PDB file of all heavy atoms in Angstrom:
ATOM      1  N   VAL P   1      -8.329  18.753  33.350  1.00  0.00           N
ATOM      2  CA  VAL P   1      -7.682  19.540  32.299  1.00  0.00           C
ATOM      3  C   VAL P   1      -8.726  20.356  31.550  1.00  0.00           C
ATOM      4  O   VAL P   1      -8.534  21.536  31.259  1.00  0.00           O
ATOM      5  CB  VAL P   1      -6.913  18.614  31.333  1.00  0.00           C
ATOM      6  CG1 VAL P   1      -6.362  19.406  30.153  1.00  0.00           C
ATOM      7  CG2 VAL P   1      -5.795  17.887  32.070  1.00  0.00           C
ATOM      8  N   SER P   2      -9.862  19.724  31.257  1.00  0.00           N
ATOM      9  CA  SER P   2     -10.964  20.420  30.588  1.00  0.00           C
ATOM     10  C   SER P   2     -12.247  19.632  30.804  1.00  0.00           C
ATOM     11  O   SER P   2     -12.218  18.451  31.143  1.00  0.00           O
ATOM     12  CB  SER P   2     -10.690  20.591  29.087  1.00  0.00           C
ATOM     13  OG  SER P   2     -10.619  19.329  28.439  1.00  0.00           O
ATOM     14  N   VAL P   3     -13.360  20.315  30.591  1.00  0.00           N
ATOM     15  CA  VAL P   3     -14.682  19.709  30.722  1.00  0.00           C
ATOM     16  C   VAL P   3     -15.542  20.183  29.554  1.00  0.00           C
ATOM     17  O   VAL P   3     -15.572  21.377  29.235  1.00  0.00           O
ATOM     18  CB  VAL P   3     -15.352  20.114  32.052  1.00  0.00           C
ATOM     19  CG1 VAL P   3     -16.813  19.683  32.077  1.00  0.00           C
ATOM     20  CG2 VAL P   3     -14.606  19.511  33.238  1.00  0.00           C
ATOM     21  N   ASP P   4     -16.226  19.254  28.900  1.00  0.00           N
ATOM     22  CA  ASP P   4     -17.226  19.569  27.876  1.00  0.00           C
ATOM     23  C   ASP P   4     -18.606  19.289  28.443  1.00  0.00           C
ATOM     24  O   ASP P   4     -18.821  18.239  29.070  1.00  0.00           O
ATOM     25  CB  ASP P   4     -17.032  18.714  26.622  1.00  0.00           C
ATOM     26  CG  ASP P   4     -15.794  19.112  25.827  1.00  0.00           C
ATOM     27  OD1 ASP P   4     -15.152  20.111  26.194  1.00  0.00           O
ATOM     28  OD2 ASP P   4     -15.464  18.403  24.864  1.00  0.00           O
ATOM     29  N   LEU P   5     -19.543  20.207  28.213  1.00  0.00           N
ATOM     30  CA  LEU P   5     -20.905  20.042  28.715  1.00  0.00           C
ATOM     31  C   LEU P   5     -21.898  20.147  27.567  1.00  0.00           C
ATOM     32  O   LEU P   5     -21.786  21.037  26.715  1.00  0.00           O
ATOM     33  CB  LEU P   5     -21.222  21.100  29.773  1.00  0.00           C
ATOM     34  CG  LEU P   5     -20.443  20.965  31.089  1.00  0.00           C
ATOM     35  CD1 LEU P   5     -20.666  22.174  31.973  1.00  0.00           C
ATOM     36  CD2 LEU P   5     -20.858  19.705  31.814  1.00  0.00           C
ATOM     37  N   PRO P   6     -22.905  19.249  27.539  1.00  0.00           N
ATOM     38  CA  PRO P   6     -23.838  19.201  26.407  1.00  0.00           C
ATOM     39  C   PRO P   6     -25.038  20.128  26.590  1.00  0.00           C
ATOM     40  O   PRO P   6     -26.172  19.741  26.315  1.00  0.00           O
ATOM     41  CB  PRO P   6     -24.261  17.728  26.404  1.00  0.00           C
ATOM     42  CG  PRO P   6     -24.274  17.372  27.847  1.00  0.00           C
ATOM     43  CD  PRO P   6     -23.138  18.133  28.481  1.00  0.00           C
ATOM     44  N   HIS P   7     -24.805  21.325  27.055  1.00  0.00           N
ATOM     45  CA  HIS P   7     -25.895  22.277  27.238  1.00  0.00           C
ATOM     46  C   HIS P   7     -25.316  23.688  27.323  1.00  0.00           C
ATOM     47  O   HIS P   7     -24.098  23.870  27.331  1.00  0.00           O
ATOM     48  CB  HIS P   7     -26.712  21.956  28.489  1.00  0.00           C
ATOM     49  CG  HIS P   7     -25.897  21.723  29.725  1.00  0.00           C
ATOM     50  ND1 HIS P   7     -25.218  22.727  30.388  1.00  0.00           N
ATOM     51  CD2 HIS P   7     -25.624  20.587  30.421  1.00  0.00           C
ATOM     52  CE1 HIS P   7     -24.590  22.242  31.422  1.00  0.00           C
ATOM     53  NE2 HIS P   7     -24.804  20.942  31.467  1.00  0.00           N
ATOM     54  N   ARG P   8     -26.194  24.672  27.379  1.00  0.00           N
ATOM     55  CA  ARG P   8     -25.746  26.053  27.445  1.00  0.00           C
ATOM     56  C   ARG P   8     -25.100  26.352  28.798  1.00  0.00           C
ATOM     57  O   ARG P   8     -25.150  25.541  29.712  1.00  0.00           O
ATOM     58  CB  ARG P   8     -26.918  27.001  27.200  1.00  0.00           C
ATOM     59  CG  ARG P   8     -28.093  26.823  28.123  1.00  0.00           C
ATOM     60  CD  ARG P   8     -29.275  27.659  27.617  1.00  0.00           C
ATOM     61  NE  ARG P   8     -30.456  27.518  28.460  1.00  0.00           N
ATOM     62  CZ  ARG P   8     -31.358  26.562  28.335  1.00  0.00           C
ATOM     63  NH1 ARG P   8     -31.201  25.656  27.386  1.00  0.00           N
ATOM     64  NH2 ARG P   8     -32.402  26.501  29.137  1.00  0.00           N
ATOM     65  N   ARG P   9     -24.535  27.534  28.914  1.00  0.00           N
ATOM     66  CA  ARG P   9     -23.754  27.917  30.086  1.00  0.00           C
ATOM     67  C   ARG P   9     -24.589  27.863  31.363  1.00  0.00           C
ATOM     68  O   ARG P   9     -25.737  28.314  31.397  1.00  0.00           O
ATOM     69  CB  ARG P   9     -23.199  29.331  29.892  1.00  0.00           C
ATOM     70  CG  ARG P   9     -22.274  29.799  31.009  1.00  0.00           C
ATOM     71  CD  ARG P   9     -21.691  31.154  30.674  1.00  0.00           C
ATOM     72  NE  ARG P   9     -20.871  31.068  29.476  1.00  0.00           N
ATOM     73  CZ  ARG P   9     -19.594  30.714  29.467  1.00  0.00           C
ATOM     74  NH1 ARG P   9     -18.995  30.397  30.604  1.00  0.00           N
ATOM     75  NH2 ARG P   9     -18.916  30.666  28.344  1.00  0.00           N
ATOM     76  N   LEU P  10     -23.989  27.320  32.428  1.00  0.00           N
ATOM     77  CA  LEU P  10     -24.638  27.275  33.728  1.00  0.00           C
ATOM     78  C   LEU P  10     -24.756  28.678  34.309  1.00  0.00           C
ATOM     79  O   LEU P  10     -23.875  29.508  34.141  1.00  0.00           O
ATOM     80  CB  LEU P  10     -23.835  26.407  34.697  1.00  0.00           C
ATOM     81  CG  LEU P  10     -23.829  24.899  34.459  1.00  0.00           C
ATOM     82  CD1 LEU P  10     -22.731  24.246  35.279  1.00  0.00           C
ATOM     83  CD2 LEU P  10     -25.170  24.296  34.807  1.00  0.00           C
ATOM     84  N   ASP P  11     -25.856  28.911  35.003  1.00  0.00           N
ATOM     85  CA  ASP P  11     -26.079  30.214  35.634  1.00  0.00           C
ATOM     86  C   ASP P  11     -25.521  30.211  37.058  1.00  0.00           C
ATOM     87  O   ASP P  11     -26.166  30.639  38.010  1.00  0.00           O
ATOM     88  CB  ASP P  11     -27.579  30.532  35.653  1.00  0.00           C
ATOM     89  CG  ASP P  11     -27.854  31.958  36.114  1.00  0.00           C
ATOM     90  OD1 ASP P  11     -26.922  32.786  36.018  1.00  0.00           O
ATOM     91  OD2 ASP P  11     -28.969  32.223  36.586  1.00  0.00           O
ATOM     92  N   CYS P  12     -24.314  29.686  37.201  1.00  0.00           N
ATOM     93  CA  CYS P  12     -23.645  29.684  38.519  1.00  0.00           C
ATOM     94  C   CYS P  12     -22.149  29.570  38.253  1.00  0.00           C
ATOM     95  O   CYS P  12     -21.521  28.569  38.582  1.00  0.00           O
ATOM     96  CB  CYS P  12     -24.146  28.566  39.409  1.00  0.00           C
ATOM     97  SG  CYS P  12     -24.188  26.941  38.635  1.00  0.00           S
ATOM     98  N   ASN P  13     -21.614  30.596  37.639  1.00  0.00           N
ATOM     99  CA  ASN P  13     -20.245  30.542  37.159  1.00  0.00           C
ATOM    100  C   ASN P  13     -19.229  30.322  38.266  1.00  0.00           C
ATOM    101  O   ASN P  13     -18.268  29.575  38.107  1.00  0.00           O
ATOM    102  CB  ASN P  13     -19.913  31.828  36.387  1.00  0.00           C
ATOM    103  CG  ASN P  13     -20.665  31.923  35.081  1.00  0.00           C
ATOM    104  OD1 ASN P  13     -21.062  30.909  34.522  1.00  0.00           O
ATOM    105  ND2 ASN P  13     -20.874  33.130  34.596  1.00  0.00           N
ATOM    106  N   GLU P  14     -19.412  30.996  39.418  1.00  0.00           N
ATOM    107  CA  GLU P  14     -18.425  30.882  40.489  1.00  0.00           C
ATOM    108  C   GLU P  14     -18.369  29.459  41.031  1.00  0.00           C
ATOM    109  O   GLU P  14     -17.292  28.878  41.179  1.00  0.00           O
ATOM    110  CB  GLU P  14     -18.756  31.861  41.614  1.00  0.00           C
ATOM    111  CG  GLU P  14     -17.707  31.866  42.723  1.00  0.00           C
ATOM    112  CD  GLU P  14     -17.986  32.911  43.777  1.00  0.00           C
ATOM    113  OE1 GLU P  14     -18.869  33.763  43.555  1.00  0.00           O
ATOM    114  OE2 GLU P  14     -17.327  32.864  44.827  1.00  0.00           O
ATOM    115  N   ALA P  15     -19.535  28.876  41.323  1.00  0.00           N
ATOM    116  CA  ALA P  15     -19.569  27.504  41.828  1.00  0.00           C
ATOM    117  C   ALA P  15     -19.057  26.528  40.779  1.00  0.00           C
ATOM    118  O   ALA P  15     -18.333  25.574  41.089  1.00  0.00           O
ATOM    119  CB  ALA P  15     -20.986  27.138  42.259  1.00  0.00           C
ATOM    120  N   GLY P  16     -19.438  26.761  39.528  1.00  0.00           N
ATOM    121  CA  GLY P  16     -18.970  25.885  38.456  1.00  0.00           C
ATOM    122  C   GLY P  16     -17.465  25.934  38.296  1.00  0.00           C
ATOM    123  O   GLY P  16     -16.818  24.911  38.053  1.00  0.00           O
ATOM    124  N   LEU P  17     -16.890  27.122  38.451  1.00  0.00           N
ATOM    125  CA  LEU P  17     -15.446  27.267  38.324  1.00  0.00           C
ATOM    126  C   LEU P  17     -14.724  26.474  39.409  1.00  0.00           C
ATOM    127  O   LEU P  17     -13.693  25.837  39.165  1.00  0.00           O
ATOM    128  CB  LEU P  17     -15.068  28.748  38.415  1.00  0.00           C
ATOM    129  CG  LEU P  17     -13.594  29.091  38.203  1.00  0.00           C
ATOM    130  CD1 LEU P  17     -13.162  28.753  36.790  1.00  0.00           C
ATOM    131  CD2 LEU P  17     -13.343  30.573  38.487  1.00  0.00           C
ATOM    132  N   LEU P  18     -15.270  26.478  40.627  1.00  0.00           N
ATOM    133  CA  LEU P  18     -14.656  25.753  41.726  1.00  0.00           C
ATOM    134  C   LEU P  18     -14.675  24.243  41.487  1.00  0.00           C
ATOM    135  O   LEU P  18     -13.768  23.532  41.912  1.00  0.00           O
ATOM    136  CB  LEU P  18     -15.373  26.074  43.042  1.00  0.00           C
ATOM    137  CG  LEU P  18     -15.191  27.494  43.579  1.00  0.00           C
ATOM    138  CD1 LEU P  18     -16.081  27.712  44.797  1.00  0.00           C
ATOM    139  CD2 LEU P  18     -13.733  27.757  43.936  1.00  0.00           C
ATOM    140  N   VAL P  19     -15.710  23.751  40.822  1.00  0.00           N
ATOM    141  CA  VAL P  19     -15.829  22.309  40.593  1.00  0.00           C
ATOM    142  C   VAL P  19     -15.144  21.886  39.308  1.00  0.00           C
ATOM    143  O   VAL P  19     -14.332  20.950  39.295  1.00  0.00           O
ATOM    144  CB  VAL P  19     -17.313  21.891  40.551  1.00  0.00           C
ATOM    145  CG1 VAL P  19     -17.437  20.399  40.249  1.00  0.00           C
ATOM    146  CG2 VAL P  19     -17.999  22.217  41.871  1.00  0.00           C
ATOM    147  N   PHE P  20     -15.429  22.562  38.212  1.00  0.00           N
ATOM    148  CA  PHE P  20     -14.977  22.113  36.897  1.00  0.00           C
ATOM    149  C   PHE P  20     -13.621  22.677  36.498  1.00  0.00           C
ATOM    150  O   PHE P  20     -12.953  22.120  35.634  1.00  0.00           O
ATOM    151  CB  PHE P  20     -15.997  22.512  35.823  1.00  0.00           C
ATOM    152  CG  PHE P  20     -17.379  21.990  36.065  1.00  0.00           C
ATOM    153  CD1 PHE P  20     -18.481  22.775  35.800  1.00  0.00           C
ATOM    154  CD2 PHE P  20     -17.580  20.715  36.561  1.00  0.00           C
ATOM    155  CE1 PHE P  20     -19.771  22.290  36.015  1.00  0.00           C
ATOM    156  CE2 PHE P  20     -18.854  20.227  36.789  1.00  0.00           C
ATOM    157  CZ  PHE P  20     -19.954  21.025  36.519  1.00  0.00           C
ATOM    158  N   GLY P  21     -13.223  23.800  37.093  1.00  0.00           N
ATOM    159  CA  GLY P  21     -12.003  24.464  36.656  1.00  0.00           C
ATOM    160  C   GLY P  21     -12.300  25.472  35.566  1.00  0.00           C
ATOM    161  O   GLY P  21     -13.448  25.667  35.157  1.00  0.00           O
ATOM    162  N   PRO P  22     -11.277  26.139  35.034  1.00  0.00           N
ATOM    163  CA  PRO P  22     -11.492  27.243  34.096  1.00  0.00           C
ATOM    164  C   PRO P  22     -11.743  26.832  32.656  1.00  0.00           C
ATOM    165  O   PRO P  22     -12.226  27.637  31.865  1.00  0.00           O
ATOM    166  CB  PRO P  22     -10.185  28.040  34.210  1.00  0.00           C
ATOM    167  CG  PRO P  22      -9.154  27.004  34.566  1.00  0.00           C
ATOM    168  CD  PRO P  22      -9.856  26.001  35.431  1.00  0.00           C
ATOM    169  N   ARG P  23     -11.402  25.604  32.300  1.00  0.00           N
ATOM    170  CA  ARG P  23     -11.494  25.207  30.893  1.00  0.00           C
ATOM    171  C   ARG P  23     -12.782  24.401  30.659  1.00  0.00           C
ATOM    172  O   ARG P  23     -12.771  23.180  30.638  1.00  0.00           O
ATOM    173  CB  ARG P  23     -10.266  24.405  30.487  1.00  0.00           C
ATOM    174  CG  ARG P  23      -8.962  25.171  30.622  1.00  0.00           C
ATOM    175  CD  ARG P  23      -7.780  24.346  30.137  1.00  0.00           C
ATOM    176  NE  ARG P  23      -6.531  25.061  30.316  1.00  0.00           N
ATOM    177  CZ  ARG P  23      -5.782  25.012  31.418  1.00  0.00           C
ATOM    178  NH1 ARG P  23      -6.191  24.237  32.432  1.00  0.00           N
ATOM    179  NH2 ARG P  23      -4.673  25.699  31.517  1.00  0.00           N
ATOM    180  N   VAL P  24     -13.872  25.117  30.478  1.00  0.00           N
ATOM    181  CA  VAL P  24     -15.176  24.494  30.266  1.00  0.00           C
ATOM    182  C   VAL P  24     -15.713  24.927  28.916  1.00  0.00           C
ATOM    183  O   VAL P  24     -15.712  26.124  28.588  1.00  0.00           O
ATOM    184  CB  VAL P  24     -16.180  24.887  31.377  1.00  0.00           C
ATOM    185  CG1 VAL P  24     -17.514  24.194  31.147  1.00  0.00           C
ATOM    186  CG2 VAL P  24     -15.632  24.524  32.744  1.00  0.00           C
ATOM    187  N   ARG P  25     -16.150  23.966  28.134  1.00  0.00           N
ATOM    188  CA  ARG P  25     -16.776  24.255  26.842  1.00  0.00           C
ATOM    189  C   ARG P  25     -18.226  23.799  26.892  1.00  0.00           C
ATOM    190  O   ARG P  25     -18.504  22.651  27.255  1.00  0.00           O
ATOM    191  CB  ARG P  25     -16.037  23.540  25.709  1.00  0.00           C
ATOM    192  CG  ARG P  25     -14.592  23.973  25.549  1.00  0.00           C
ATOM    193  CD  ARG P  25     -13.964  23.394  24.298  1.00  0.00           C
ATOM    194  NE  ARG P  25     -13.968  21.927  24.313  1.00  0.00           N
ATOM    195  CZ  ARG P  25     -13.531  21.170  23.307  1.00  0.00           C
ATOM    196  NH1 ARG P  25     -13.078  21.745  22.198  1.00  0.00           N
ATOM    197  NH2 ARG P  25     -13.540  19.855  23.404  1.00  0.00           N
ATOM    198  N   TYR P  26     -19.117  24.699  26.536  1.00  0.00           N
ATOM    199  CA  TYR P  26     -20.538  24.390  26.537  1.00  0.00           C
ATOM    200  C   TYR P  26     -21.010  24.076  25.114  1.00  0.00           C
ATOM    201  O   TYR P  26     -20.263  24.178  24.149  1.00  0.00           O
ATOM    202  CB  TYR P  26     -21.332  25.570  27.109  1.00  0.00           C
ATOM    203  CG  TYR P  26     -21.052  25.837  28.562  1.00  0.00           C
ATOM    204  CD1 TYR P  26     -20.053  26.730  28.952  1.00  0.00           C
ATOM    205  CD2 TYR P  26     -21.766  25.180  29.552  1.00  0.00           C
ATOM    206  CE1 TYR P  26     -19.791  26.962  30.293  1.00  0.00           C
ATOM    207  CE2 TYR P  26     -21.506  25.415  30.899  1.00  0.00           C
ATOM    208  CZ  TYR P  26     -20.517  26.306  31.260  1.00  0.00           C
ATOM    209  OH  TYR P  26     -20.267  26.525  32.584  1.00  0.00           O
TER     210      TYR P  26
END
């Protein structure tokens, strides 16, 4: 449903989107 990450935005948005989905908060 959503993912929270304890760091700044990953420099691999496409791969991250495939794994984490669209609802990511950094």
Side-chain angles (χ1 to χ4, degrees):
V1 174
S2 64
V3 170
D4 289 355
L5 292 171
H7 49 71
R8 56 190 179 274
R9 185 175 297 275
L10 289 166
D11 188 21
C12 49
N13 291 335
E14 184 176 349
L17 184 65
L18 291 174
V19 177
F20 303 140
R23 299 183 182 89
V24 181
R25 298 188 300 177
Y26 295 91

